[in-house]
Amino acid sequence: MAASVVALLALSLFLPPLLLVAWKHWRWGRTARHVIVVVLGDVGRSPRMQYHALSLAKSGFSVTLLGFCIGPHVLQYGVKVVFQAVHLLWKLMCTEPAAYIFLQNPPGLPAIVVCWFAGCLRGSKLVVDWHNYGYSIMGLVHGPSHPLVLLAKWYEKLCGRLSHLNLCVTNAMRDDLAENWGIKAVTVYDKPASFFKETPLDLQHQLFVKLSHTYPVFRACSESSDPGTERSAFTERDALSGAVTHLCGRPALLVSSTSWTEDEDFSILLAALEKFEHLIDSGESLPSLVCVITGKGPLKDYYSRLICQKGFRHIQVCTPWLEAEDYPLLLGSADLGVCLHRSSSGLDLPMKVVDMFGCCLPVCAVKFQCLHELVKHEENGLVFEDSEELAVQLQTLFSKFPDPAGKLYQFRESLRESEQLRWDESWERTVLPLISDT
């Protein structure tokens, strides 16, 4: 409570001089073809808002992309909110006036009110893109009945109605916003960007060789008898023809990506991998596995220690942080994707699965409320509830690997034939008409 009082006093002291200093920088009246895209966090971790910005630019808008650091954890929460509010308001007021402010939520505290206020002053319309509910994410850490969580829920429910237009990621969220929050939203499903596609074999080889310099799991187990032949753990390039082929008896490549947070329980995958290894030890005809889990986040060290304790013999686990251009190439080179994302609200969908499907990569995904809007069980992938189910699915999918008669190949063919809509096409059909007519 004391921190909140201090925060309010700080706001009352700093806001008036801030506005006076900014006055000389303001230009009143919106610019019809200018849009500000705001993420109160790391823009690099928000591909959807990046895609919005790119689509707006392609449609003839000038775009300003604002991203912010969250701030040091040592600050009291109230003080941090005030700092963010002042900083964001300053940036919005010193930026060219815009027709629209596109804001990602979460995090929406204090961004929704600040963007709305700046929009009122400068004639900008606020568009809130609901990716999830911020209070539900806070609830993972503090518990659903914590005062901060209850305050955040009240704030989102009240201030979410200030927007001119609301977008959301699922029909389930659209219905929940309408029924429980009184907010009318338009569903804009995440779609893969055009660069998420199957990776040609020669590019796969180049990627594996590149990664092998840093990560041993990509290195060949044995050298070719021909010194001119270049090998990775999965591929080899002929010295004479330059042709790339898969290695006979190669391991299967399983990939997942994560921000290593509480909404993804990787102990499920590790337990399933243990069961998979026991099957190999018992004589089942299954390939060895290379499991690559990309990303970084607060729980990475914890799970890295767990992985080291497993002592796998037929499974190698690697947790790299990839360059942006390498991530789609890796997905397009893999044999199976695994998703352990459990929505904190039950109403959002994992972007990683969207990207995997863009690469025609079959997926095993942990079940939650609205997952069926993306993953169709036994059609484009499989859905599991625990490590036992996931282990059975891994056994089923890899039992004939790499035989094209296997179920894994059938899922891939189904994804190839589905002719998925890409982000640009989807955006032009759903979002562009909404901002062209208002």
Side-chain angles (χ1 to χ4, degrees):
M1 183 62 70
S4 299
V5 172
V6 172
L8 289 174
L9 288 173
L11 185 60
S12 65
L13 288 172
F14 289 117
L15 190 56
L18 168 72
L19 296 179
L20 287 173
V21 173
W23 180 273
K24 63 181 67 177
H25 297 284
W26 295 356
R27 285 187 285 170
W28 300 90
R30 64 183 181 180
T31 303
R33 302 298 289 180
H34 180 226
V35 177
I36 302 173
V37 178
V38 179
V39 179
L40 194 63
D42 184 353
V43 178
R45 294 195 181 194
S46 184
R48 181 177 169 100
M49 300 310 287
Q50 295 177 43
Y51 294 168
H52 275 307
L54 288 170
S55 294
L56 286 161
K58 289 177 182 177
S59 298
F61 292 88
S62 64
V63 180
T64 299
L65 186 57
L66 294 181
F68 296 83
C69 63
I70 299 300
H73 293 291
V74 295
L75 290 178
Q76 290 286 342
Y77 192 78
V79 176
K80 186 188 298 186
V81 168
V82 171
F83 172 80
Q84 291 173 334
V86 172
H87 189 201
L88 176 56
L89 182 60
W90 170 269
K91 287 294 184 181
L92 289 170
M93 300 307 291
C94 293
T95 302
E96 178 186 356
Y100 296 95
I101 298 173
F102 271 62
L103 171 66
Q104 171 184 304
N105 183 66
L109 179 65
I112 298 176
V113 166
V114 174
C115 290
W116 168 80
F117 180 62
C120 289
L121 291 177
R122 311 192 81 191
S124 304
K125 295 178 179 179
L126 176 60
V127 180
V128 176
D129 191 11
W130 297 80
H131 297 192
N132 200 346
Y133 295 150
Y135 80 88
S136 70
I137 296 174
M138 291 177 65
L140 293 175
V141 178
H142 301 293
S145 59
H146 192 281
L148 276 178
V149 177
L150 297 176
L151 177 63
K153 183 176 182 179
W154 171 83
Y155 169 87
E156 277 187 293
K157 188 172 184 177
L158 177 68
C159 298
R161 300 169 186 166
L162 298 173
S163 58
H164 170 77
L165 175 65
N166 291 278
L167 310 176
C168 63
V169 294
T170 63
N171 287 335
M173 180 173 282
R174 177 198 64 192
D175 296 342
D176 188 74
L177 284 168
E179 293 170 12
N180 298 317
W181 296 44
I183 294 173
K184 183 180 179 181
V186 177
T187 303
V188 181
Y189 281 118
D190 284 321
K191 298 292 181 181
S194 57
F195 49 79
F196 283 99
K197 56 189 176 182
E198 291 186 82
T199 306
L201 195 54
D202 60 332
L203 290 183
Q204 291 186 32
H205 180 73
Q206 291 178 29
L207 175 68
F208 296 148
V209 171
K210 173 184 174 181
L211 294 177
S212 70
H213 298 313
T214 308
Y215 306 105
V217 299
F218 293 96
R219 296 173 191 164
C221 295
S222 61
E223 296 297 327
S224 170
S225 57
D226 184 347
T229 298
E230 184 181 54
R231 275 188 177 177
S232 72
F234 308 93
T235 55
E236 68 177 1
R237 184 188 297 277
D238 184 78
L240 295 177
S241 67
V244 176
T245 56
H246 278 124
L247 283 177
C248 182
R250 69 180 177 94
L253 178 56
L254 184 153
V255 298
S256 186
S257 64
T258 179
S259 52
W260 298 107
T261 51
E262 289 83 358
D263 61 352
E264 292 182 291
D265 183 1
F266 269 82
S267 65
I268 295 174
L269 175 59
L270 296 180
L273 292 177
E274 282 188 295
K275 293 177 176 65
F276 189 86
E277 176 143 301
H278 291 330
L279 289 170
I280 297 177
D281 287 336
S282 65
E284 290 283 338
S285 180
L286 294 167
S288 57
L289 288 182
V290 170
C291 178
V292 180
I293 308 171
T294 69
K296 58 183 178 181
L299 295 179
K300 183 173 181 177
D301 289 342
Y302 167 76
Y303 281 110
S304 295
R305 289 193 295 271
L306 283 184
I307 291 167
C308 291
Q309 293 169 9
K310 296 299 179 182
F312 291 126
R313 296 177 302 282
H314 307 289
I315 298 169
Q316 299 179 79
V317 182
C318 177
T319 57
W321 174 249
L322 297 178
E323 296 177 13
E325 62 270 22
D326 289 340
Y327 178 63
L329 293 176
L330 178 67
L331 294 188
S333 305
D335 299 300
L336 179 67
V338 172
C339 174
L340 293 157
H341 171 84
R342 288 186 190 269
S343 170
S344 60
S345 65
L347 300 173
D348 71 309
L349 292 171
M351 186 74 177
K352 68 195 74 178
V353 174
V354 174
D355 296 337
M356 289 172 182
F357 282 170
C359 295
C360 297
L361 178 63
V363 171
C364 293
V366 69
K367 185 178 181 179
F368 62 88
Q369 183 178 332
C370 67
L371 184 64
H372 65 276
E373 293 190 38
L374 178 61
V375 182
K376 314 296 183 186
H377 187 62
E378 294 286 356
E379 292 182 26
N380 56 11
L382 296 173
V383 176
F384 61 89
E385 294 192 12
D386 52 35
S387 61
E388 294 283 349
E389 274 194 278
L390 177 56
V392 170
Q393 290 174 3
L394 294 179
Q395 180 184 8
T396 301
L397 293 174
F398 289 126
S399 62
K400 295 184 178 180
F401 183 85
D403 189 341
K407 199 166 189 176
L408 195 62
Y409 186 82
Q410 294 172 16
F411 282 145
R412 190 182 290 274
E413 280 298 300
S414 176
L415 288 166
R416 286 169 177 160
E417 294 168 3
S418 64
E419 298 182 356
Q420 306 167 68
L421 203 62
R422 296 289 168 160
W423 171 267
D424 287 338
E425 302 165 273
S426 175
W427 192 91
E428 289 172 3
R429 294 184 188 183
T430 54
V431 181
L432 185 57
L434 297 174
I435 60 176
S436 297
D437 298 338
T438 57

